C-alpha cells in the first residue's frame, strides 16, 4: 500500500509538472503571438495596405524614367497663317557621377561651358560636383547653334558626362499681333494666358516616357530592362481670327492713339454679326508673347528700371534694400498683368450713347414708341422722380424731334422719355434678353460680365428708380464689357438673334482628324425681325445724317452709334473724380445685309491736342478707317452713289492715240471729264498719266500735240482746310484730292489727315488722299 501510495504521489507530481509545462508553453505561445502581432501588423501594412507605395518606390530605386516631351500643337488663323508653333531646342545636363568616374577636369569643363552658355563657371563647377543627384540641368531651351557648339566641345575633347536632351520652345511669328488673344506658354510649356491657356488640354498632347534599369551609383544597366511609352502630339487650333483684319484694327488703333494723344491705351473688336465669329480683338498697348515677361510700355519700363536701380544702390539685405526690392517686384507684376489683360472681355466700362441702340430697339419692339413718336429737347429738363436736372449734350437743345432724329441727334432728353415710356419692368426684361447680365460664353478665360443695376432700382420708381432708369437709357452709371455690347448690338441688326461669340473654329489632331468643331450658336431671340429691319434703317441714318458722319466710307453703306462716357468711379490722389473720358463708336456694314460689326474705344484722349473729345470726332473716323481697310479685303462690294464720286479711286487708262471724241467718251464712262490742250487729231499725252489714280468726278488734262508738263510741286499742309479750300489749293498746283471720311461740305468739316506729308515733292497730276472730319461732332 505504501508502494502504491508512493507511485500515486509520483504520478501526481508528474501530472502537476506536465500541467505546469503546458501552462508555461501556453503562456509562451501567447507571449509569442503577442510579440508577433506588431510585426504581423507591420508586415500587413507593408505587404497589403502600402503595397503600391513601396512597390513604386522599389521600382524607382531600380529604374530611371526619362520624359519624352510631346510637341505642342500649332495655332492658325482662319486662313492657316501660323500664329503660334513650337521649335526644337535642347536642355543641357551634367552627370556628376559619370564626370567623376571619367576623371574629367571640372575646372576646364566649367570654364568652357560657362563661355558657351554665358553662365558663371563657378556655378557650373558646383553643379558638376553635386553627387546627390544623378543629373543637374545647366542649360534650358538652348538653340541649335549653341547645341552644336557644345557637341563639338564634347567630341573634340572626348568628354563623358555632358548630355543634351531634345525639347521644344513656343514661338510666335507675328510678335505682338493679337497677343492678348493668343497668350503664351510658361517655362514648363503650359498655356498661361489667352487661347494657349483656355485650350491647353488640346494643345499640349501627352508626354511620353522611357523607363530603363539602373544599378549602383545611379549608373545605367544596358540591355537589362527598357520600356517605351510613346508621346502623343498636341492638336492644332484653327481660329476665327484673320491676321489681315487684326493687323488693320491694330494699325488704326495705334494711329488714333498717336493722333489724339490717348493716355490709357485703346481696345477694339471685329465680329461677324451673323455668326459670332471673332475676326479681330485688340488691346493696345500690347506685348510680345515671345518675351512675355518684358514690359513693352517705354514709360513704365523706364520707371521700373529706376526703381530697380534705387533698391540696388542700398546695402544688400538691408531693410531699405528689401523694402525697395519688394516694391519693385509688386509694380513689375502689376505692369505685366496689365499688358497681358484682354480689355475687350475682362474690363467693364460705361458704354455711353452707344447703348442707346439697345434702348430704342427695346422700346420699338415692345410697342412703347413708334417712328412718329414726338419728343422735345430744351437742353435740360427736370424729370419728376429724378433729383438732378437732366442735361442733354447739346446745351441749347435739339427742339422738336421724332424717333429717328432722337437717335441721329443722340438726344439724352428723348431717350430718358423713351425709357420712361417703356417702363422699368420691360426695360429690365430686355436688358436680360440682350445678355447684359451674363457672360457671353466666349471660349476664352478671364471674361467678366460687367455691373448693372439691381432690378429693384430700375423698377421701383419710389426708390431711385426713375434716376436709374433714365441714366441707364443713355448708357451711364453702369458698366458692361465691350464684348457684351457688341454682341447685343449685333442682335439688333442681324434679325434679332443673340449669338455666342467664339474664337476657335476647329481643333485637329496630329492625324488630321477633327476633334472639335464649333458652329454658330443662337442663345436666344432678343427682338422681332421687323424691329431689326427698322433699327437697321435708323442706325444707318446716324452715319448718313446724324452724329457719326465721320465714319462714312465712299461706296459702302455703314451704320453705327457714337459714345462718350465718363469714368465715374476713378479718383485722383486728392480723392477728386477724374475728368477722363472713353470715346467709342460701334460701326456696322454693309447695312443692306449686316455682316461685320466693329467697335473702337479710346481711353482718355488728351485735351492738349485741342481736338474736341467725343466719339463722333475721334472714334467714328477710326472705325471708318478700319472699314475702309477691311471691307474690300473681306469681299464686300462697293456701290458708289453720285455723292460718293469724290471718294472713288479710278485707275487712269492710256488715252494715247485716241481721238478727242473717243477720249471724252472713255472718261465719261468712268465719271471723269476732259480738258483738252492743243489742236491735234489724236491724244499725245495726259495728266494724270496712265496707271495713276484719280478721284471720281475729276477733270483729266488731255494733250493733243502740246507738250505735257514734266514738273514737280510741293505738297502743301491741307490740315484745317475745308473742302473748298483744299480743292482750290490743290488746283493751283495741279494736284487731285481723294476725299475720305465725312463727305459733307460745311465750314466745320475740315481736313484732318493726308496720306502724303506736307513738303513732299510730287509730280503734277498726283493724287493726295485727305480725311475730312466734322470737328464739331458731339457725343
Amino acid at each position: 500500500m505504501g508502494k502504491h501510495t508512493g507511485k500515486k504521489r509520483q504520478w501526481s507530481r508528474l501530472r502537476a509538472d506536465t500541467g505546469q509545462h503546458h501552462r508555461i508553453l501556453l503562456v509562451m505561445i501567447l507571449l509569442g503571438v503577442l510579440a508577433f502581432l506588431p510585426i504581423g501588423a507591420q508586415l500587413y501594412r507593408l505587404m497589403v495596405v502600402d503595397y503600391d507605395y513601396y512597390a513604386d518606390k522599389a521600382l524607382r530605386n531600380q529604374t530611371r524614367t526619362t520624359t519624352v516631351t510631346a510637341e505642342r500643337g500649332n495655332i492658325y488663323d482662319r486662313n492657316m497663317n501660323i500664329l503660334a508653333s513650337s521649335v526644337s531646342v535642347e536642355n543641357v545636363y551634367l552627370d556628376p557621377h559619370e564626370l567623376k568616374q571619367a576623371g574629367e577636369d571640372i575646372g576646364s569643363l566649367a570654364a568652357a561651358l560657362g563661355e558657351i552658355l554665358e553662365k558663371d563657371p563657378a556655378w557650373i563647377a558646383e553643379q558638376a560636383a553635386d553627387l546627390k543627384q544623378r543629373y543637374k540641368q545647366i542649360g534650358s531651351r538652348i538653340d541649335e547653334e549653341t547645341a552644336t557648339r557644345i557637341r563639338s566641345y564634347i567630341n573634340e575633347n572626348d568628354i563623358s558626362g555632358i548630355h543634351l536632351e531634345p525639347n521644344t520652345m513656343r514661338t510666335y511669328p507675328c510678335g505682338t499681333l493679337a497677343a492678348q488673344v493668343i497668350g503664351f506658354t510658361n517655362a514648363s510649356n503650359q498655356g498661361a494666358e489667352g487661347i494657349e491657356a483656355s485650350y491647353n488640354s488640346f494643345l499640349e498632347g501627352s508626354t511620353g516616357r522611357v523607363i530603363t534599369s539602373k544599378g549602383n551609383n545611379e549608373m545605367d544597366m544596358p540591355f537589362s530592362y527598357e520600356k517605351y511609352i510613346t508621346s502623343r502630339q498636341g492638336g492644332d487650333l484653327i481660329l476665327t481670327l484673320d491676321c489681315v483684319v487684326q493687323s488693320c484694327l491694330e494699325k488704326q488703333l495705334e494711329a488714333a492713339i498717336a493722333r489724339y494723344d490717348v493716355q490709357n491705351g485703346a481696345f477694339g473688336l471685329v465680329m461677324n454679326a451673323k455668326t459670332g465669329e471673332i475676326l479681330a480683338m485688340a488691346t493696345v498697348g500690347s506685348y510680345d508673347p515671345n518675351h512675355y515677361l518684358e514690359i513693352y510700355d517705354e514709360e513704365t519700363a523706364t520707371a521700373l528700371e529706376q526703381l530697380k536701380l534705387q533698391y540696388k544702390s542700398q546695402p544688400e539685405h538691408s531693410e531699405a534694400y528689401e523694402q525697395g526690392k519688394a516694391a519693385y517686384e509688386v509694380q513689375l507684376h502689376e505692369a505685366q498683368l496689365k499688358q497681358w489683360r484682354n480689355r475687350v472681355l475682362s474690363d467693364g466700362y460705361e458704354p455711353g450713347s452707344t447703348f442707346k441702340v439697345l434702348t430704342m430697339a427695346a422700346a420699338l419692339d415692345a410697342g412703347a414708341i413708334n417712328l412718329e413718336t414726338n419728343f422735345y429737347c430744351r437742353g435740360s429738363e427736370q424729370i419728376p422722380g429724378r433729383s438732378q436736372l437732366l442735361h442733354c449734350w447739346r446745351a441749347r437743345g435739339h427742339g422738336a424731334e421724332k424717333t429717328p432724329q432722337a437717335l441721329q441727334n443722340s438726344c439724352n432728353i428723348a431717350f430718358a422719355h423713351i425709357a420712361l415710356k417703356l417702363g422699368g419692368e420691360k426695360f429690365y426684361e430686355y436688358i436680360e434678353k440682350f445678355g447684359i447680365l451674363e457672360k457671353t460664353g466666349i471660349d476664352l478665360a478671364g471674361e467678366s460680365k460687367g455691373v448693372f443695376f439691381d432690378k429693384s432700382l430700375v423698377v421701383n420708381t419710389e426708390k431711385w428708380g426713375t434716376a436709374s432708369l433714365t441714366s441707364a437709357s443713355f448708357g451711364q452709371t453702369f458698366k458692361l464689357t465691350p464684348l457684351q455690347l457688341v454682341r447685343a448690338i449685333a442682335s439688333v441688326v442681324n434679325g434679332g438673334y443673340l449669338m455666342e461669340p467664339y474664337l476657335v473654329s476647329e481643333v485637329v489632331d496630329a492625324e488630321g482628324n477633327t476633334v472639335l468643331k464649333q458652329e454658330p450658336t443662337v442663345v436666344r431671340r432678343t427682338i422681332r425681325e421687323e424691329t431689326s429691319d427698322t433699327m437697321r434703317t435708323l442706325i444707318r441714318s446716324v452715319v448718313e445724317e446724324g452724329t457719326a458722319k465721320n465714319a462714312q466710307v465712299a461706296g459702302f453703306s455703314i451704320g453705327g452709334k457714337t459714345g462718350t462716357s465718363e469714368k465715374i468711379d476713378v479718383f485722383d490722389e486728392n480723392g477728386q473724380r477724374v475728368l477722363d473720358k472713353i470715346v467709342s463708336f460701334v460701326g456696322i456694314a454693309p447695312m443692306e445685309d449686316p455682316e461685320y460689326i466693329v467697335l473702337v474705344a479710346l481711353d482718355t484722349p488728351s485735351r492738349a491736342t485741342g481736338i474736341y473729345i467725343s466719339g463722333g470726332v475721334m472714334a467714328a473716323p477710326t472705325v471708318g478707317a478700319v472699314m475702309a481697310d477691311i471691307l474690300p479685303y473681306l469681299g464686300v462690294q462697293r456701290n458708289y452713289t453720285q455723292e460718293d464720286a469724290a471718294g472713288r479711286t479710278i485707275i487712269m487708262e492710256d488715252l494715247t492715240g485716241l481721238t478727242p471724241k473717243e477720249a471724252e467718251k472713255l472718261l465719261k464712262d468712268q465719271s471723269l471729264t476732259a480738258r483738252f490742250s492743243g489742236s491735234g487729231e489724236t491724244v499725245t499725252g495726259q495728266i494724270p498719266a496712265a496707271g495713276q489714280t484719280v478721284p471720281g468726278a475729276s477733270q483729266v488734262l488731255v494733250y493733243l500735240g502740246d507738250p505735257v508738263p514734266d514738273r514737280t510741286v510741293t505738297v502743301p499742309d491741307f490740315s484745317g482746310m475745308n473742302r473748298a479750300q483744299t480743292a482750290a489749293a490743290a488746283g493751283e498746283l495741279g494736284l487731285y484730292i481723294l476725299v475720305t471720311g465725312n463727305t459733307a461740305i460745311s465750314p466745320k468739316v475740315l481736313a484732318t489727315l493726308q496720306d502724303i506729308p506736307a513738303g513732299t515733292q510730287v509730280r503734277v497730276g498726283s493724287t493726295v488722299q485727305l480725311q475730312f472730319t466734322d470737328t464739331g461732332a458731339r457725343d
Side-chain angles (χ1 to χ4, degrees):
M1 181 151 180
K3 184 178 181 180
H4 287 294
T5 302
K7 284 182 177 181
K8 283 184 179 181
R9 290 176 180 170
Q10 186 178 7
W11 177 248
S12 296
R13 284 197 301 272
L14 181 61
R15 288 178 61 189
D17 290 342
T18 302
Q20 187 176 3
H21 287 180
H22 285 166
R23 287 193 295 274
I24 292 171
L25 181 61
L26 182 61
V27 170
M28 289 179 67
I29 291 171
L30 289 172
L31 290 174
V33 170
L34 290 172
F36 184 76
L37 279 176
I39 299 173
Q42 182 72 353
L43 287 172
Y44 180 80
R45 185 179 67 81
L46 293 173
M47 299 176 68
V48 179
V49 178
D50 294 334
Y51 171 81
D52 291 338
Y53 170 77
Y54 286 103
D56 180 64
K57 193 168 185 179
L59 184 63
R60 282 189 281 113
N61 285 335
Q62 300 169 48
T63 60
R64 173 179 295 110
T65 300
T66 304
T67 299
V68 180
T69 305
E71 185 174 344
R72 195 172 177 85
N74 293 335
I75 301 177
Y76 299 92
D77 83 337
R78 67 191 302 119
N79 299 311
M80 300 307 290
N81 297 303
I82 294 180
L83 297 173
S85 62
S86 297
V87 295
S88 296
V89 291
E90 298 190 61
N91 296 332
V92 187
Y93 294 90
L94 297 179
D95 184 335
H97 291 278
E98 192 176 352
L99 290 170
K100 183 179 179 181
Q101 288 187 353
E104 301 294 353
D105 183 347
I106 301 301
S108 174
L109 178 145
L113 291 179
E115 181 182 353
I116 296 172
L117 296 172
E118 298 181 351
K119 293 193 174 182
D120 183 7
W123 176 80
I124 294 177
E126 183 182 331
Q127 305 308 304
D130 185 2
L131 298 174
K132 294 179 182 178
Q133 288 182 284
R134 181 60 199 266
Y135 291 114
K136 302 288 289 188
Q137 184 173 329
I138 61 168
S140 175
R141 296 182 177 185
I142 64 170
D143 57 34
E144 185 178 350
E145 181 182 350
T146 305
T148 299
R149 291 179 63 190
I150 292 176
R151 284 195 177 88
S152 297
Y153 171 73
I154 293 171
N155 295 332
E156 290 169 5
N157 297 278
D158 195 23
I159 302 290
S160 296
I162 303 176
H163 301 281
L164 289 95
E165 179 188 64
N167 199 354
T168 59
M169 181 177 71
R170 208 62 166 161
T171 182
Y172 303 90
C174 295
T176 61
L177 190 75
Q180 288 87 358
V181 176
I182 300 166
F184 55 84
T185 57
N186 57 25
S188 301
N189 214 25
Q190 295 290 302
E193 288 285 339
I195 289 290
E196 290 276 28
S198 296
Y199 282 82
N200 186 66
S201 60
F202 290 99
L203 287 163
E204 67 177 350
S206 60
T207 302
R209 289 180 292 165
V210 178
I211 304 172
T212 56
S213 60
K214 61 183 180 180
N216 295 333
N217 295 324
E218 297 286 312
M219 297 299 289
D220 289 327
M221 296 176 64
F223 316 114
S224 174
Y225 172 82
E226 200 164 59
K227 181 179 179 180
Y228 293 90
I229 299 174
T230 307
S231 63
R232 179 176 58 82
Q233 182 178 330
D236 294 336
L237 304 185
I238 302 171
L239 306 188
T240 60
L241 280 186
D242 188 306
C243 279
V244 174
V245 177
Q246 181 76 28
S247 180
C248 292
L249 176 62
E250 291 189 15
K251 177 187 73 173
Q252 297 300 343
L253 287 175
E254 288 165 358
I257 287 173
R259 187 181 313 135
Y260 306 120
D261 191 21
V262 178
Q263 301 298 299
N264 295 322
F267 48 89
L269 173 68
V270 180
M271 188 180 86
N272 187 312
K274 295 179 179 179
T275 66
E277 294 170 282
I278 304 297
L279 276 72
M281 182 183 285
T283 300
V284 183
S286 192
Y287 69 98
D288 187 344
N290 292 296
H291 311 286
Y292 62 89
L293 294 176
E294 295 181 16
I295 303 301
Y296 272 73
D297 180 76
E298 291 183 4
E299 289 186 11
T300 304
T302 300
L304 284 167
E305 187 61 27
Q306 290 176 348
L307 269 179
K308 188 176 182 179
L309 292 173
Q310 285 175 10
Y311 86 75
K312 284 201 165 186
S313 66
Q314 303 296 323
E316 194 169 356
H317 303 307
S318 67
E319 185 178 353
Y321 178 92
E322 296 299 334
Q323 288 179 350
K325 183 180 179 182
Y328 164 77
E329 289 174 347
V330 167
Q331 292 193 35
L332 173 63
H333 185 58
E334 289 177 350
Q336 289 169 338
L337 291 177
K338 182 179 179 180
Q339 69 180 16
W340 299 340
R341 190 173 182 83
N342 187 339
R343 298 182 67 181
V344 175
L345 55 88
S346 295
D347 284 9
Y349 79 113
E350 279 197 14
S353 293
T354 54
F355 194 81
K356 291 173 180 173
V357 171
L358 304 182
T359 302
M360 180 163 284
L364 286 169
D365 195 65
I369 61 170
N370 58 44
L371 296 180
E372 297 301 318
T373 303
N374 292 301
F375 304 96
Y376 194 88
C377 172
R378 297 180 177 81
S380 63
E381 183 177 337
Q382 184 64 61
I383 294 180
R386 181 184 172 103
S387 59
Q388 292 180 322
L389 187 68
L390 178 61
H391 294 276
C392 189
W393 63 266
R394 189 176 189 181
R396 68 175 182 272
H398 293 105
E401 52 190 349
K402 293 187 176 181
T403 298
Q405 290 74 46
L407 188 64
Q408 292 165 13
N409 297 331
S410 194
C411 177
N412 289 351
I413 303 297
F415 271 88
H417 285 284
I418 288 172
L420 291 171
K421 288 177 183 292
L422 180 60
E425 285 279 1
K426 275 291 182 183
F427 182 79
Y428 209 85
E429 178 184 317
Y430 278 94
I431 289 298
E432 291 177 323
K433 285 184 178 180
F434 285 128
I436 305 304
L437 307 181
E438 65 193 28
K439 295 181 180 181
T440 67
I442 190 171
D443 51 340
L444 201 58
E447 183 184 13
S448 62
K449 64 176 181 178
V451 180
F452 198 75
F453 301 106
D454 183 83
K455 185 175 182 178
S456 62
L457 293 181
V458 178
V459 175
N460 186 354
T461 55
E462 294 180 2
K463 189 180 179 182
W464 306 104
T466 299
S468 298
L469 179 60
T470 52
S471 294
S473 72
F474 43 82
Q476 290 186 8
T477 64
F478 69 90
K479 290 184 176 183
L480 44 65
T481 68
L483 186 58
Q484 283 181 301
L485 178 67
V486 167
R487 179 174 78 142
I489 293 179
S491 79
V492 171
V493 298
N494 70 8
Y497 300 102
L498 190 72
M499 306 302 297
E500 183 174 273
Y502 63 102
L503 275 158
V504 175
S505 62
E506 193 173 359
V507 180
V508 181
D509 68 17
E511 287 73 42
N513 302 310
T514 298
V515 177
L516 173 70
K517 189 172 182 63
Q518 299 208 80
E519 302 287 351
T521 302
V522 177
V523 178
R524 70 178 71 91
R525 177 174 277 283
T526 57
I527 57 175
R528 291 175 290 111
E529 192 166 345
E530 310 88 87
T531 308
S532 181
D533 292 341
T534 301
M535 285 302 301
R536 284 200 292 271
T537 301
L538 294 175
I539 291 170
R540 182 174 182 172
S541 73
V542 177
V543 174
E544 294 179 347
E545 306 173 49
T547 59
K549 291 179 182 177
N550 291 336
Q552 293 174 348
V553 180
F556 293 116
S557 58
I558 295 174
K561 187 68 192 77
T562 54
T564 306
S565 57
E566 299 176 349
K567 297 183 179 181
I568 59 171
D569 58 349
V570 180
F571 300 88
D572 61 20
E573 61 274 11
N574 299 315
Q576 300 297 312
R577 200 174 82 180
V578 300
L579 299 177
D580 298 349
K581 294 181 179 180
I582 294 179
V583 298
S584 61
F585 181 73
V586 179
I588 303 131
M591 289 309 296
E592 298 87 358
D593 184 19
E595 190 164 2
Y596 302 107
I597 180 166
V598 180
L599 164 71
V600 159
L602 310 175
D603 189 348
T604 317
S606 172
R607 288 173 169 77
T609 62
I611 302 172
Y612 184 81
I613 297 175
S614 76
V617 172
M618 296 173 171
T622 304
V623 170
V626 173
M627 292 287 197
D629 284 344
I630 69 173
L631 293 180
Y633 165 75
L634 293 171
V636 179
Q637 295 297 313
R638 287 182 185 265
N639 294 303
Y640 290 102
T641 63
Q642 189 172 355
E643 292 76 17
D644 292 331
R648 182 181 180 183
T649 300
I650 298 171
I651 300 175
M652 282 299 304
E653 302 248 1
D654 188 354
L655 306 177
T656 306
L658 299 179
T659 65
K661 189 174 182 180
E662 291 171 335
E664 191 168 31
K665 182 179 184 305
L666 180 61
L667 292 174
K668 185 177 180 181
D669 290 343
Q670 295 183 316
S671 302
L672 300 171
T673 59
R675 190 177 82 186
F676 294 98
S677 176
S679 56
E681 295 182 357
T682 58
V683 177
T684 56
Q686 65 191 70
I687 294 179
Q692 284 190 293
T693 59
V694 64
S698 295
Q699 187 178 71
V700 177
L701 301 178
V702 182
Y703 293 86
L704 305 173
D706 284 358
V708 179
D710 186 17
R711 62 188 177 88
T712 60
V713 294
T714 303
V715 176
D717 183 357
F718 290 104
S719 60
M721 297 184 186
N722 59 34
R723 287 278 298 277
Q725 291 168 332
T726 58
E732 288 181 7
L733 297 169
L735 299 175
Y736 292 93
I737 297 298
L738 178 67
V739 176
T740 64
N742 195 323
T743 59
I745 298 176
S746 163
K748 292 184 178 179
V749 177
L750 308 176
T752 54
L753 288 174
Q754 59 189 77
D755 66 337
I756 303 177
T760 304
Q761 292 292 310
V762 298
R763 291 182 62 187
V764 169
S766 296
T767 296
V768 181
Q769 179 177 306
L770 298 181
Q771 183 181 76
F772 288 88
T773 303
D774 181 353
T775 55
R778 298 296 186 263
D779 192 52

